[in-house]
Amino acid sequence: MTADMTKVVVTGLGATTPLGGDVPSTWAGLLAGESGISAIEEEWATRLPVRIAGRLRVEPSEVIDRVQARRLDRCEQIALVAAREAWADAGRPEVEPERLAVVVGTGTGGALTMLGQDDVLESSGVRRVSPHTVPMLMANGAAAWVSMELGARGGAHTPVSACASGAEAIAMGLDLIRLGRADVVVAGGTEACIHPLPLAGFAQAKAHSTRNDAPQEASRPFDTDRDGFVIGEGAGLVVLERAEFAAARAARVHAVLAGAGVTSDAHHITAAHQDGQVRAMRLALATAGLAPQDVQHVHAHATSTPLGDVTEAESIVAAIGTHPAVTATKSMTGHLFGAAGALGAIAAILALRDQVVPATQNLENLDPQVKLDIVTGRPRRGALTAALTNAFGFGGHNASLAFTAEPV
């Protein structure tokens, strides 16, 4: 069997998000149209033009051992939470350590540790800086901790591709299995950077919503009144397996990771480009052996920025058409940056598994430039056999993943 013919299945799902501390509660929140976005109550927020965020519904300190948690950045903590759930959901596969790999992407890594320890250094001196600072701030920390948790010796990788990181990690997991380098890969993304400095930077760039008086209505993808994204935090990981390996242990399969497309724009550091997005989606379809008409559902990146939403909408039309049912769940969770693509993948997988697409919230007036079938109001049920999820990031990073339903 050649590498590009290897079937890869998803056997485990794990997440902690602004809607819930695990996948079932997050999925229930998406289907119910709940919002995980709220006002930032800390005093430091009063001096910022942005005072809203998508905070975790369940604190990792409720799950992670206290001693271990003190040695981990928040993004590492929540990666472990999601990894443990995904691994348990997959039935804890018995796999040779050298055939088990980990890929956990992130946009900022241990930003909270870096900024916090810098404050300690400035205010209290070098002797007060934590000796765990470097392992806590390094971007590869989450992948390293997950690999140690699971005993994975087939590689621990960290794509750092801004908001495409989580989806790119899953694409890399697909490659590792298809290239014969692993039988099982735990892949996804993590992010935790709700802090005055990132919020101030996004506010100065006019990228973040300032709808502080109505947090739950602030993230409004494709709506004419959108004014930017809302920062969120969370982690999402999936367990990928070579289909034959999963079948040999009679594993339950959520969906098939059929293909992936990763491209770069080489265009602008923050402005998206339609060409790169279209190529990513077409590559995902090509590697999956799918035609555009085969796709019934698209989980859009759709961050709620004026330019970004229109660019993606036009890209979806160009690459796939106007027929798929499209949803934008950042309207409920906010934008999880490096974890966004992984959470979008999980939502697309569950849509295929349960044959239902969550509704986009806060879409009251569809932007006339958006020529898509956006699911609004209530979740939409229907026959779904193939879905695509998008993740795009600053720097011109584009990642699209194609999933198909596992035949019953």
Side-chain angles (χ1 to χ4, degrees):
M1 177 177 288
T2 59
D4 63 350
M5 292 176 61
T6 301
K7 183 179 178 181
V8 176
V9 296
V10 181
T11 59
L13 305 173
T16 181
T17 75
L19 292 177
D22 54 23
V23 168
S25 58
T26 297
W27 183 233
L30 291 176
L31 293 178
E34 296 178 3
S35 176
I37 300 169
S38 60
I40 300 173
E41 301 295 342
E42 285 86 345
E43 187 277 333
W44 56 256
T46 59
R47 66 180 188 269
L48 296 177
V50 171
R51 298 186 294 278
I52 55 176
R55 283 267 174 81
L56 290 175
R57 182 66 60 90
V58 177
E59 281 297 309
S61 58
E62 298 182 24
V63 183
I64 301 290
D65 175 80
R66 186 176 65 177
V67 175
Q68 184 181 33
R70 289 171 57 188
R71 300 179 178 181
L72 304 178
D73 182 81
R74 188 173 177 86
C75 81
E76 297 170 346
Q77 294 174 10
I78 59 180
L80 271 185
V81 171
R84 289 173 179 175
E85 183 190 5
W87 195 246
D89 186 50
R92 297 181 174 85
E94 293 186 6
V95 55
E96 293 181 10
E98 292 77 15
R99 300 292 297 170
L100 171 61
V102 170
V103 191
V104 182
T106 183
T108 63
L112 295 183
T113 292
M114 178 178 289
L115 294 168
Q117 290 300 304
D118 181 65
D119 289 342
V120 171
L121 177 63
E122 294 296 325
S123 64
S124 304
V126 66
R127 292 183 179 275
R128 302 297 295 178
V129 172
S130 170
H132 304 293
T133 295
V134 173
M136 291 172 70
L137 67 82
M138 62 190 194
N140 63 302
W145 280 109
V146 172
S147 72
M148 289 184 282
E149 174 87 7
L150 303 178
R153 298 182 181 178
H157 309 278
T158 305
V160 180
S161 306
C163 307
S165 301
E168 191 167 322
I170 295 173
M172 186 174 183
L174 176 68
D175 288 343
L176 288 172
I177 294 175
R178 286 187 166 175
L179 289 170
R181 296 177 180 173
D183 293 316
V184 181
V185 179
V186 179
T190 186
E191 203 76 88
C193 59
I194 298 175
H195 180 279
L197 184 59
L199 280 166
F202 286 126
Q204 287 297 98
K206 308 298 182 185
H208 200 291
S209 173
T210 56
R211 202 181 293 261
N212 299 311
D213 56 342
Q216 297 186 350
E217 301 172 11
S219 182
R220 38 200 320 115
F222 302 122
D223 189 85
T224 54
D225 293 328
R226 66 191 183 278
D227 69 332
F229 62 75
V230 176
I231 190 173
E233 59 181 356
L237 294 175
V238 301
V239 176
L240 307 175
E241 298 188 41
R242 182 168 52 84
E244 293 89 341
F245 185 89
R249 65 182 193 88
R252 176 193 57 187
V253 172
H254 291 293
V256 177
L257 175 55
V262 176
T263 67
S264 55
D265 294 343
H267 166 67
H268 190 276
I269 196 65
T270 57
H273 195 277
Q274 185 177 329
D275 172 72
Q277 296 182 359
V278 171
R279 285 188 294 112
M281 285 183 267
R282 287 177 175 168
L283 276 171
L285 294 178
T287 55
L290 296 171
Q293 59 267 28
D294 296 327
V295 178
Q296 297 90 24
H297 169 47
V298 174
H299 184 282
H301 182 62
T303 63
S304 187
T305 60
L307 178 61
D309 286 7
V310 171
T311 300
E312 182 181 12
E314 293 174 344
S315 297
I316 292 171
V317 172
I320 304 173
T322 59
H323 62 278
V326 177
T327 193
T329 59
K330 290 182 181 67
S331 57
M332 294 171 273
T333 65
H335 190 0
L336 275 56
F337 299 164
L343 183 57
I346 291 172
I349 290 164
L350 293 172
L352 287 172
R353 188 194 71 181
D354 296 348
Q355 298 287 282
V356 59
V357 176
T360 304
Q361 301 302 305
N362 302 323
L363 181 47
E364 298 172 355
N365 298 291
L366 182 65
D367 188 319
Q369 296 183 78
V370 176
K371 310 296 184 183
L372 296 172
D373 178 16
I374 312 293
V375 179
T376 59
R378 296 180 178 180
R380 184 185 301 177
R381 295 191 175 275
L384 305 175
T385 58
L388 200 74
T389 184
N390 289 329
F392 310 128
F394 281 4
H397 304 283
N398 309 297
S400 295
L401 304 172
F403 295 95
T404 57
E406 176 74 350
V408 178

